Amino acid sequence: MCFDDPCSDNHQHNKLVLCPQCDMLVALPDLMEGNKAVCPRCDTLLTAKWKEPRNQPTGYAISALLMLFLACLFPFISMNVAGIVSEIKLTEIPKVMFNDDYSSIGAFFLIFVQFIPTFCMVSIIFLCQNIKMARRLKIELARILFQMKTWCMAEIFLAGILVSFVKLMAYGDIELGLSFLPYCLFCIFQVRAFQCLDRYWIWNDIEPAPTIGQTKTRQALQAGKPGLVQGVRLCLCCTAILPAQEHQCSRCHTKGHARRHFSLQLTMALLITSAILYIPANILPIMVTQSLGNHINSTILEGIILLWSTGSYPVALVIFIASIMVPLLKMLAIIWLCWDAKKHGKYHSETMHFIYELVEFVGRWSMIDVFVIAVLSALVRMGQFMSIYPATGAVLFASVVILTMFASMTFDPRLTWDKANKKFELQNSEEL
């Protein structure tokens, strides 16, 4: 797609997007309401045209905040063991962790389950309703919102609650409090709010993307060719297309490069650290059960074996996959991605991209075991009769999950496509 005059250039440039995953320059069609545009090379979602793009995310975000408020008011879960009743509210879970000198787990709960989801919902309301604020503040709000999206783990905590029910049923009767249903609705509404929020639309609503004209050193942009080949790069924050040599985005002022600097080095450093912590995280106990004066230490593997022996095969399998297999396979997958990007391996870019997307999707679900421990530790507090406490292994395991998440975030997926981009460079040189 070539540009002939400045007016046409501005109009057409607004219809061009760079894929954040494979760096392909794509010409956006005029989307009908309810349709979406995906990259033809890697199937990454580029933009979607939602009905009422302002009101839909706002409605879901307001509903989510209302449900979260209700979930914090009333009892969440109660447990009855031999006539002894223990009851907790959602807000009491981190308090128990702080009181037991396990402030790290309490902080994980506050940040990932309460603070970040709440902040994101409030940010969606402010941005979508175009509430009057300084332009710089609006840009910072949008930047933080999309960076924090990955760290919203309310639905993972909900899955952890369901798993903890299976473990607790062996000891006594479990009853759901008035807050449980509002919290379930909160999880649904906050996920839906993110789904209806289009990143491409919200940034163009804040400020139109900068335009790039044809210069002596760069030909007119053409859809269907990688951005790096054409001398342009993507702003990973606001999706603007920028000259490759321009290191600061003129729209959101985020600094960046055509490829993340030291991407492989940072990824491997985080990966090595997580691998070192992975061993003690699985050897040391993650939970201590005190019952009638006896202390029973439980590792992740021992908990899985206990669930399996009691006939809870599906739950045992879920915990085994999420807590044992996923962190290990994720580390191996990231090593493979780094090796392929560094050595330009023989595997197809499509295959490596699928592995990367899989790593991105499943990585944070390993936190489910940490949230199970948080629920059990907060609820099972019955003195010498029965009490459950977190242990050092839980903190180490949470650190492994967080480090592997950072490792996948620092890895630049466009590196896996650069070997394919060389074909475009060869074709261009032959044409010249």
Side-chain angles (χ1 to χ4, degrees):
M1 183 179 295
C2 298
F3 308 137
D4 297 324
D5 58 87
C7 294
S8 175
D9 182 77
N10 290 342
H11 173 74
Q12 295 287 0
H13 177 73
N14 289 333
K15 292 292 184 178
L16 288 175
V17 294
L18 267 175
C19 177
Q21 301 292 331
C22 71
D23 199 40
M24 177 66 72
L25 192 67
V26 181
L28 292 179
D30 292 327
L31 296 176
M32 299 293 291
E33 195 173 88
N35 291 341
K36 62 182 180 180
V38 298
C39 176
R41 181 154 75 156
C42 67
D43 292 327
T44 298
L45 177 65
L46 301 176
T47 184
K49 189 169 184 179
W50 292 92
K51 182 181 180 181
E52 299 184 359
R54 291 190 188 278
N55 295 332
Q56 272 206 75
T58 302
Y60 285 119
I62 292 174
S63 301
L65 291 175
L66 178 60
M67 291 299 105
L68 181 60
F69 176 72
L70 293 176
C72 293
L73 291 180
F74 306 105
F76 192 57
I77 311 170
S78 63
M79 181 180 181
N80 189 328
V81 181
I84 303 176
V85 179
S86 176
E87 186 179 74
I88 59 167
K89 291 183 178 180
L90 193 64
T91 54
E92 292 174 346
I93 296 177
K95 290 181 182 178
V96 173
M97 301 297 103
F98 286 115
N99 292 336
D100 286 342
D101 295 329
Y102 274 91
S103 55
S104 52
I105 296 181
F108 292 151
F109 180 87
L110 280 175
I111 294 171
F112 299 141
V113 178
Q114 293 184 329
F115 175 74
I116 291 180
T118 302
F119 171 82
C120 289
M121 294 302 103
V122 173
S123 300
I124 288 174
I125 296 169
F126 272 75
L127 292 172
C128 288
Q129 291 305 304
N130 205 14
I131 295 175
K132 189 175 181 180
M133 66 178 76
R135 172 182 165 275
R136 183 65 183 175
L137 179 60
K138 188 178 292 187
I139 288 174
E140 289 298 326
L141 197 62
R143 189 213 306 259
I144 298 172
L145 169 64
F146 291 107
Q147 288 177 342
M148 293 292 103
K149 180 180 176 181
T150 305
W151 301 96
C152 287
M153 299 187 182
E155 65 275 20
I156 300 176
F157 173 68
L158 180 60
I161 294 172
L162 300 178
V163 171
S164 65
F165 285 170
V166 178
K167 292 188 176 184
L168 292 172
M169 284 177 185
Y171 301 106
D173 298 326
I174 305 299
E175 291 186 6
L176 303 178
L178 293 175
S179 292
F180 187 78
L181 180 58
Y183 186 78
C184 293
L185 293 174
F186 161 70
C187 293
I188 295 172
F189 288 146
Q190 67 102 18
V191 170
R192 187 61 179 161
F194 278 123
Q195 287 178 340
C196 296
L197 182 70
D198 185 60
R199 185 173 187 169
Y200 179 79
W201 175 85
I202 200 72
W203 275 110
N204 283 330
D205 184 67
I206 293 173
E207 182 179 320
T211 57
I212 301 177
Q214 181 176 342
T215 64
K216 293 181 180 179
T217 58
R218 182 180 61 249
Q219 298 297 320
L221 299 180
Q222 296 183 15
K225 291 187 177 181
L228 192 62
V229 173
Q230 302 185 70
V232 294
R233 73 172 183 89
L234 176 73
C235 175
L236 294 176
C237 176
C238 72
T239 72
I241 301 175
L242 308 169
Q245 68 276 11
E246 188 175 308
H247 299 317
Q248 187 173 27
C249 177
S250 56
R251 176 160 68 172
C252 68
H253 307 293
T254 301
K255 293 183 179 180
H257 302 272
R259 296 292 181 268
R260 289 193 182 106
H261 272 199
F262 307 109
S263 170
L264 299 180
Q265 292 89 334
L266 286 172
T267 300
M268 288 305 300
L270 290 167
L271 197 62
I272 292 171
T273 306
S274 63
I276 293 173
L277 294 178
Y278 180 75
I279 298 173
N282 284 277
I283 295 176
L284 295 176
I286 62 170
M287 185 173 67
V288 178
T289 303
Q290 178 182 311
S291 179
L292 301 176
N294 297 321
H295 290 76
I296 304 173
N297 296 328
S298 300
T299 63
I300 296 176
L301 193 57
E302 287 172 346
I304 295 171
I305 294 172
L306 178 62
L307 285 170
W308 189 272
S309 62
T310 57
S312 302
Y313 306 123
V315 179
L317 190 60
V318 168
I319 296 296
F320 176 74
I321 293 174
S323 302
I324 300 294
M325 288 186 62
V326 167
L328 181 60
L329 292 178
K330 184 176 182 179
M331 287 186 282
L332 294 175
I334 294 175
I335 291 173
W336 190 9
L337 287 167
C338 290
W339 178 86
D340 182 80
K342 180 68 175 178
K343 302 294 184 180
H344 302 290
K346 61 181 180 180
Y347 297 97
H348 294 295
S349 298
E350 291 83 357
T351 302
M352 303 309 298
H353 178 72
F354 173 77
I355 294 172
Y356 172 77
E357 285 193 322
L358 192 62
V359 165
E360 280 282 280
F361 175 75
V362 303
R364 64 198 193 108
W365 282 92
S366 297
M367 284 293 286
I368 189 173
D369 220 15
V370 178
F371 293 142
V372 168
I373 296 169
V375 174
L376 295 177
S377 300
L379 184 60
V380 185
R381 289 302 168 98
M382 301 175 182
Q384 292 296 320
F385 183 72
M386 181 182 291
S387 296
I388 293 179
Y389 302 92
T392 307
V395 180
L396 295 175
F397 183 77
S399 301
V400 170
V401 177
I402 293 171
L403 285 171
T404 53
M405 287 179 66
F406 274 120
S408 62
M409 291 170 65
T410 56
F411 178 79
D412 194 334
R414 295 169 295 181
L415 296 173
T416 63
W417 293 94
D418 282 346
K419 56 187 177 184
N421 292 348
K422 289 188 176 182
K423 296 180 181 179
F424 287 98
E425 295 177 349
L426 292 173
Q427 290 175 358
N428 290 342
S429 63
E430 290 175 0
E431 291 175 0
L432 295 174

